[in-house]
Amino acid sequence: MNLKGKTIILGVCGGIAAYKAVELTRLLKKDGADVWVVMTRNAREFVAPLTFQTLSGNPVYSEMFLPPPAPPYKGGERGDMPHIDIAKKCNLLLIAPATANIIGKFAGGIADDLLSTLYLSVTSPVLIAPAMNNNMYANPVVKDNIKRLKGFNINFIDVGVGELACGDEGEGRLAEPDTILSRVRELLFNPPNPPFSKGVEGGLKGKTILVTAGPTHEAIDPVRFISNHSSGKTGYAVASAAQRRGGKVILISGPTNLAPPSGVKFIPVKSADDMRREVLRESENADVIVMAAAVSDFSPVSYSDKKIKKEERESITLELKKTPDILEEIQSSKLKAQSSKLIVGFALETEDIVKNAKEKLKNKHLDFIIANSVNSFGSDSNKVAIIDKKGNVEDIPLMPKDSIAEIILDKVAQILKKD
Ligand code: CTP
């Protein structure tokens, strides 16, 4: 399948990486897309509009208002309004490169030029490929703006790491054009996040879905804790997708850097113990439980309420005790109550992934389990396998965690329909 019949608005901002948008335009066209380039005024300082016009075969826009047609007027003429006209036919708004400035404008709802106004008027998915200096990318305001936009289901492509145009080394390079093309194809053919989706196949209306996400922190003393590398992205993606499908969503999350999806009941927790307490309380009314959290299996036997000092110590031994298995507890209360709650678990493994996941599925009496390897930590994509009660293994190829969330919920909706 190629991009024939798809209209893509490519927003190009003012950064040196604008030259890569030229190659990107060529790749999108070659794949069959109808490409309309919108350049910010600063982008025109880096690449001439004629380059994009020639490659895309369409006029290049920068200004909000174009003059009305020449007189004599017959009445009813209006100047072209590209932010409305092209927005209507857009299947995807792609911003590459996206500067800190445009990300800030999108996050703040500022519409003071064509591209920022278009962003507010499109109803298609939006994909943003940032590119900027590493210090700008690390700036908390920029990070916060990206987090906010992700909370609105805006898709991002991770920046690359390496030498930057300014001579600095670090995070901030625009992703390569072929990487961007494959994300575009993924989004258009398997859209995980239509920003204003009116509900998708496999609705969850009337159902309460409890999702856990993120790591837990097991405190050692007031400054230290034991934890793991879980980012919480998969759990948050499941919560957000379940909410879009009309479900009532409760998200219980350990500490993460993610913004909770709007509209969900959000319960932040720290330790495995906190998570256990909240999950057991909220699970009573849940129809579906998706246990995506990477709950710590061990916590310190004792907590020191004063900072443990290093003086006169060459080493230290920390005694740990096992934390209660939350899923097992939910199962026993489910059995007691003879409820038909649907319970989904995750298995995080470094080896024998499917074999170990099958064992967890059986021991924890789950409806199905998602097996994944530690390689996915922090990344936006993952390669998982879904294993059901009968032992069927469905291998899911590498794809964004948002898309994996949709696949998980399709399966949930399928099982609920049968029951
Ligand atoms: N889980 C849980 N309570 C715990 C630990 C894990 O409910 N104390 C849940 C996780 O949320 C996940 C599933 O159990 O859905 C499997 O977690 P995982 O860390 O892969 O396995 P464990 O059961 O902890 O076993 P091990 O760490 O030995 O692999």
Side-chain angles (χ1 to χ4, degrees), residues 216-228 270-272 296 298-310 313 316-321:
T216 61
H217 286 186
E218 308 306 317
I220 299 168
D221 68 14
V223 281
R224 306 179 179 97
F225 57 82
I226 301 174
S227 190
N228 57 64
K270 281 219 168 80
S271 65
S296 293
F298 295 95
S299 71
V301 167
S302 58
Y303 170 75
S304 162
D305 52 10
K306 295 205 177 64
K307 186 183 175 198
I308 300 170
K309 304 299 280 178
K310 67 170 183 248
R313 289 177 201 265
I316 185 167
T317 304
L318 202 59
E319 199 185 342
L320 303 175
K321 62 175 189 297

Side-chain angles (χ1 to χ4, degrees), residues 291 293 295-297 323-327 345-348 360 364:
M291 196 71 198
V295 188
S296 293
D297 288 323
T323 58
D325 193 297
I326 304 173
L327 266 181
F346 277 70
L348 188 64
K360 285 179 190 168
K364 302 192 188 211

Side-chain angles (χ1 to χ4, degrees), residues 47 85 127 130 150 164-165 178 195 252 257 282 292 312 362 376:
V47 182
D85 299 335
L127 176 60
K150 285 184 175 174
L164 305 169
D178 54 350
I252 301 178
N257 286 323
E282 297 292 337
E312 293 167 23
K362 205 167 130 223
S376 70

